[in-house]
Structure formats: C-alpha cells, structure tokens
Amino acid sequence: MDKRRFLKTSGTLITGSVLSRMFAEERRSAHRTNWSSNLTYSTDHLYEPKTIEELQQTVKRCSKLRALGTRHSFNGIADSRENQVSLANFGEMTLDRANHTVTVGAGVRYGDLAPYLDHNGYALHNLASLPHISVAGACATATHGSGIKNGNLSTAVAAAELVTASGEVIHLSRERDADRFHGTVVNLGGIGVVTKVTLLVQPTYKVSQVVYQNLSFSHLEKHLEDIFGSGYSVSLFTDWQNHQATQVWIKSRVQAGGASKPAPEFYGARLATTNLHPLTGHSAENCTEQLGVPGPWYERLPHFRMNFTPSSGAELQSEFFVPRDKGYRAILAVEQLRDFITPHLFITELRAIAADKLWMSTCYERDSMAIHFTWKPEWDAVKKVLPMIEEKLAPFEARPHWAKLFTMPPSRLQSLYSKLGAYKDLLSQYDPSGKFRNEFLNTNLFGA
Ligand SMILES: Cc1cc2nc3c(=O)[nH]c(=O)nc-3n(C[C@H](O)[C@H](O)[C@H](O)COP(=O)(O)OP(=O)(O)OC[C@H]3O[C@@H](n4cnc5c(N)ncnc54)[C@H](O)[C@@H]3O)c2cc1C
C-alpha cells in the first residue's frame, strides 16, 4: 500500500451518481476520515437509510457501494470512491431466551449491546480491546479478543440478514447453510450489506483482571500455552526491548466462591498494585478496572472503557496472526527487528485466539497467536518497517489483520487463504457486477 493510496485527499475523488434523496438520507461533508484520521475516505457520498426498504432502494440505485461501520479500520477496507452506506440507524436488539441468541441491527456497537445483555442476565463469549466498534463491522473483519479457547468475535454469529447487490434480502444461518454460512460471516464487506446479526449468548458472568509487570520472554519458550491459558483472556504487552513483556493482563472468570487472591509473582513477573495503562506513562483513567476487583464481563474484557478514548488516539495499527505452536519462534524473529520497531511503536500486544471454520478468518483452522503493533502516527517510517516484519514472519505463514495496515503483496496474501476461491465464488454469486468491491478488495483479493 503506497502513501498515495493510503493518505487519500478529500475532494479530489468526488465521483458517483447524483442520487435522489427520496430513498435514503445522504450526507455530504468535505472531510470524512476514519477513527484515527490516517485515512480520508475517497467519497463524500454517505447514505444513512432508516429502514430496510430505504436500504434496498439505495443498493439498487447505486452501481458502487460500500458499507461503513464505526470507521475503526486503519486501511481502505471500508473505503469507496463512489458511495458508502452507514447502518447507524439500525439499532434494534432482540433477545431470544429460548434459543440463547440476541439479534442486533447492523448499527449496534458492542458498547450498546453488552449492558443490554448483562441487564437481561446474558453475556457474549468475548470482546475486543475496545467496545466502540459495530458488531457488523467487527465480524466482517474477524475482529478478536484473547483467550486460548475463545474464537474471534465472528465465531459467535449464528445467523445474518443481508441485502445483496440486486436489493434482495437474504437470510443465512449456521444451522441451515453450513458451508455458505462459513463464507459469509467474515465477509470483508463484499457479499452484501449486513442488516442484522444473530449472536450466540451465554449466562452472564463476572471477570476480575490483574496485571503483572516484566515477564521475561524466555518463559514463553516452554510455557507459552500455559501463560496464555492462565486466564480466560490473556494479553502480553511489549516494547520489544529487554526480551520481556512489560505487562501481562490476565482476565479470569470469577467462579461461585468469588475471585481468588492473585499470586504476587507470575513466572517471575511482579503483580501491579495500581491500575495501569498498556502505554507506560499514560493515565489508566480510560482503562478498565484492574487489581483483581470483580466486575461485569463487559467492563473487564475490553482494555478500554466505553466513554473514554481507547488506546492512544493518534496512532496506526498492524497485526499478524501466526500458528500458536510457532508463537515463540515468531516472537524471536520479530524481536531481531527491535531497534527498527521500538522508535515508531507505542506498544505491541500479543494475544491468543482459537481456530475457527470461517473461510476468510485470520484464524481459519489455526489456533493462533496475534502479534499486534500500535504505531505512532508515522506512516513514512512504519511503511518501511512493515515489510521487514512481514519477511521475518513469512516462514510462519502470518496472516495480516484485515482492518489494519500491512504491505504484503496480494499474491502472498491470497496464498494464505485456502478457501479464497470458494469465497470469490460467493462474491460472484451475490454480487456479480462487483457493486460492493472496492479498491482494497480489488487489489488484495483480485490483484497479482
Ligand atoms: C483503538 C482501536 C482498537 C482496536 N482493537 C481491536 C482489537 O482488540 N481486536 C481486533 O481484532 N481489532 C481491533 N481493532 C480493529 C477493529 O476491530 C476493526 O477495524 C473493525 O472492523 C472495526 O469495526 P467498524 O465497525 O469500525 O468497521 P469499519 O472500519 O467501518 O468497517 C470495517 C469493514 O466492515 C464492513 N462493514 C461494516 N458494516 C458492515 C455492514 N453492515 N455490512 C457489511 N459490511 C460491513 C466494511 O465494509 C469494512 O469492510 C481496533 C481498532 C481501533 C481503532
């Protein structure tokens, strides 16, 4: 991805047909960026239908259209040169106690859904590091949290409703549609506009969170699986210096008898006695409560609280998924680049994710460890370091996060997905004219 494509300027690519206001509200603004403002969308045509009928009309009338969630992706995956459609008005949430599911409109964010579920006695199996993202957008890109037994967030999807390129409404479910369903959950925005998602839920639970400081990487050689398995969800943070994780965040489900007292040491790392932010020196005010204090699952599984800015704010992100049994060797490989990485890095996070069956998932048929980089907003430098990281991780068949920054050649990326051909068949079936295909998909899935 070069800088020209990455830092798109607004106002130069105002294309697309002039569309009637009769079928959906269209908003125009000169400067529309993603959450971190590293990307300006290439169109100022944004449709915001209020009903499924309005959406169907919008889809029928646009020759090119891309669904937009809460704009948290760092690359051009949600971008369009012509038209985007936001389903922010689709905010319904319906709990089905008999089937242990909740059906949410595509505009619903995890931060809206979680308190609603908890209030009704239910929970999701996992959450990402922040609650601000939409369910539909997160599932489209295989967004994940951590936990050796936890699949990414899209593995909770039991059914979905989509409007396909012809304007038809289709319903797909795990039970009825087997293979086809596995191809449409992590859809990369290409199959259609998702209007509703049905998620599996479970009885609500409490989680306590503790943080340990300074865990030597040498323990990961023999105990990587034990360390990631020491809690329900475990994250290791590192700046790649001193062969160590600066912080280990362990989130544990609280059992009936209450949270057990945390040990003062964990593989030689010391228990923190104050709340910490993953970025040394940042206030922990916007982080979820630590120190072993039990709380609702949704106030502990994300690192960042709903009403605060997550992470650093002005930042870039990249992430690569490797098979977990090769995790330690992958860490050593990246560590060789530490002096290229650290000057441009806020922090790296290592997480574990269980294998799944979703064709375009970054964890497809692989128990995975994800190596994440929160970069300073220094794209010129970061884009030079990324190819070096990708080269070091090539022996581990590292798959890049669909919504974050990578520089891997399309042919290499395509070789990492054995079901890509089947996914492309679904694209041509549901979207024969390529209405939902944007530059990101054309380059990465169809380019050489
Ligand atoms: C601070 C921060 C922290 C993050 N933490 C994590 C993390 O912990 N784990 C992780 O895996 N990722 C993380 N991410 C990345 C984030 O989860 C993904 O970018 C996710 O896709 C964002 O969802 P969104 O709603 O913002 O979607 P957008 O960025 O708006 O869109 C993403 C994709 O979803 C598609 N899409 C959106 N809505 C629909 C719809 N209704 N129908 C069809 N397609 C649709 C878009 O077309 C696009 O392809 C983080 C990002 C930020 C900014």
Side-chain angles (χ1 to χ4, degrees), residues 205-232:
Y205 54 91
K206 290 207 179 319
V207 172
S208 67
Q209 169 168 251
V210 291
V211 175
Y212 289 90
Q213 290 179 282
N214 303 330
L215 177 119
S216 168
F217 276 164
S218 55
H219 293 294
L220 294 173
E221 181 174 10
K222 298 224 163 55
H223 301 290
L224 185 137
E225 196 71 6
D226 301 330
I227 287 170
F228 277 112
S230 63
Y232 183 68

Side-chain angles (χ1 to χ4, degrees), residues 67-119:
L68 184 65
T70 50
R71 304 178 297 109
H72 280 73
S73 296
F74 288 86
N75 60 31
I77 192 167
D79 197 16
S80 170
R81 288 178 182 272
E82 317 210 4
N83 304 293
Q84 288 172 314
V85 61
S86 161
L87 274 73
N89 293 318
F90 288 54
E92 70 176 65
M93 298 187 270
T94 312
L95 188 61
D96 178 345
R97 289 177 187 274
N99 290 307
H100 306 285
T101 60
V102 65
T103 297
V104 300
V108 169
R109 299 171 303 167
Y110 284 96
D112 309 316
L113 173 61
Y116 165 80
L117 281 179
D118 191 60
H119 178 73

Side-chain angles (χ1 to χ4, degrees), residues 35-36 41 66-74 77-78 87 106 128-130 133-138 140-145 187-190 192-195 310-311 315 317 319 321 349 351 401 403-404:
W35 172 84
S36 82
Y41 294 122
R66 196 73 183 155
L68 184 65
T70 50
R71 304 178 297 109
H72 280 73
S73 296
F74 288 86
I77 192 167
L87 274 73
S129 67
L130 79 175
I133 49 178
S134 76
V135 174
T141 62
T143 290
H144 63 98
N187 56 58
L188 312 179
V193 182
V194 175
T195 49
S311 202
E315 64 188 54
Q317 294 188 9
E319 192 165 33
F321 297 73
E349 181 177 8
R351 284 180 281 185
H401 195 303
K404 301 184 183 180

Side-chain angles (χ1 to χ4, degrees), residues 20-190:
S20 162
R21 282 177 167 267
M22 284 170 63
F23 55 93
E25 193 174 325
E26 178 198 349
R27 224 168 27 143
R28 281 167 175 259
S29 61
H31 297 287
R32 293 184 48 246
T33 66
N34 64 347
W35 172 84
S36 82
S37 298
N38 70 297
L39 177 92
T40 299
Y41 294 122
S42 310
T43 178
D44 67 349
H45 289 236
L46 174 69
Y47 293 89
E48 297 182 300
K50 292 195 175 63
T51 63
I52 193 155
E53 291 76 21
E54 281 186 2
L55 172 64
Q56 286 176 283
Q57 290 304 317
T58 303
V59 169
K60 279 186 197 160
R61 297 279 292 273
C62 291
S63 58
K64 283 284 193 186
L65 184 67
R66 196 73 183 155
L68 184 65
T70 50
R71 304 178 297 109
H72 280 73
S73 296
F74 288 86
N75 60 31
I77 192 167
D79 197 16
S80 170
R81 288 178 182 272
E82 317 210 4
N83 304 293
Q84 288 172 314
V85 61
S86 161
L87 274 73
N89 293 318
F90 288 54
E92 70 176 65
M93 298 187 270
T94 312
L95 188 61
D96 178 345
R97 289 177 187 274
N99 290 307
H100 306 285
T101 60
V102 65
T103 297
V104 300
V108 169
R109 299 171 303 167
Y110 284 96
D112 309 316
L113 173 61
Y116 165 80
L117 281 179
D118 191 60
H119 178 73
N120 283 287
Y122 286 93
L124 298 170
H125 79 291
N126 210 353
L127 290 169
S129 67
L130 79 175
H132 308 68
I133 49 178
S134 76
V135 174
C139 293
T141 62
T143 290
H144 63 98
S146 192
I148 57 171
K149 295 192 179 139
N150 296 329
N152 64 39
L153 302 188
S154 54
T155 60
V157 178
E161 178 184 274
L162 295 90
V163 173
T164 61
S166 64
E168 185 193 355
V169 177
I170 63 163
H171 297 91
L172 293 168
S173 87
R174 188 189 288 208
E175 272 178 18
R176 272 197 324 268
D177 301 294
D179 247 21
R180 178 175 297 263
F181 179 75
H182 289 141
T184 48
V185 179
V186 179
N187 56 58
L188 312 179

